[in-house]
Amino acid sequence: MSTKHPVRRLSTVGATALVLAIGGCATTTTDDHEPQVSAPSTSTLRPTSPSASSSPTSVPSELTAEEQLRVNPPPPQRLKATRVGDAVRLTWSPPPAVTVPHTYSDTVVEYRIYRSVDGRGEELLGTSATLTFTDAKPGTGTARYAVSSVREHGVEGPRTNAVVVPPAS
């Protein structure tokens, strides 16, 4: 082992151990001994010990509804959009109560409103502390809106199903 860069060599070993301990990530080193980190594959995991089963273990692709509620708050309900002149008024109901043990607060601090127009990318349009929002300038195309709830500590849940609003006539 070269003593040319003993601190660098130690930090590379420490970084490799930390990365492996955190997520089982693979690391390689380049010629200058800097670690190159790659994310673990989420496809099929194969056992590494000879005593382990030879059949592959699959990573589940989806959580059950109960597992999903444990980590993600539910979206608001009954999103509706109504044209009011050139503006669009959105209304919705709060998310349902969660009855399974979960990792987030039950307190909703705000709602985030998202919009896309004519199939372009979705953007955060604004926030609301109430169950309504008015988009004064929805644009000239067909708009799609979705709303999410944000809990204490910034935990944002999934968005509602989008509602489509045709352009003003």
Side-chain angles (χ1 to χ4, degrees):
M1 175 155 96
S2 168
T3 59
K4 184 177 177 183
H5 298 289
V7 173
R8 177 176 263 175
R9 171 92 50 203
L10 180 59
S11 67
T12 300
V13 171
T16 302
L18 179 61
V19 168
L20 291 173
I22 289 174
C25 297
T27 61
T28 59
T29 54
T30 60
D31 292 337
D32 64 356
H33 302 291
E34 293 297 321
Q36 302 296 312
V37 180
S38 63
S41 169
T42 58
S43 55
T44 303
L45 303 176
R46 301 207 184 273
T48 55
S49 76
S51 62
S53 168
S54 61
S55 63
T57 303
S58 296
V59 176
S61 60
E62 291 186 23
L63 298 175
T64 66
E66 185 175 310
E67 291 168 333
Q68 187 70 259
L69 281 176
R70 290 180 191 277
V71 295
N72 291 315
Q77 301 180 73
R78 296 181 283 286
L79 175 61
K80 294 179 185 173
T82 309
R83 278 264 176 210
V84 180
D86 289 337
V88 174
R89 181 172 169 80
L90 302 170
T91 60
W92 58 89
S93 299
V98 178
T99 58
V100 299
H102 48 283
T103 60
Y104 48 85
S105 169
D106 289 325
T107 304
V108 174
V109 295
E110 72 178 4
Y111 296 94
R112 291 186 182 159
I113 296 84
Y114 295 88
R115 176 185 69 192
S116 74
V117 178
D118 290 337
R120 290 190 296 270
E122 194 173 58
E123 64 180 355
L124 176 62
L125 182 59
T127 62
S128 176
T130 66
L131 300 173
T132 65
F133 183 86
T134 299
D135 183 3
K137 298 181 183 181
T140 58
T142 299
R144 295 173 52 92
Y145 295 92
V147 177
S148 68
S149 63
V150 179
R151 308 299 174 111
E152 290 178 317
H153 310 294
V155 177
E156 181 176 11
R159 297 174 191 157
T160 60
N161 291 329
V163 294
V164 177
V165 179
S169 41

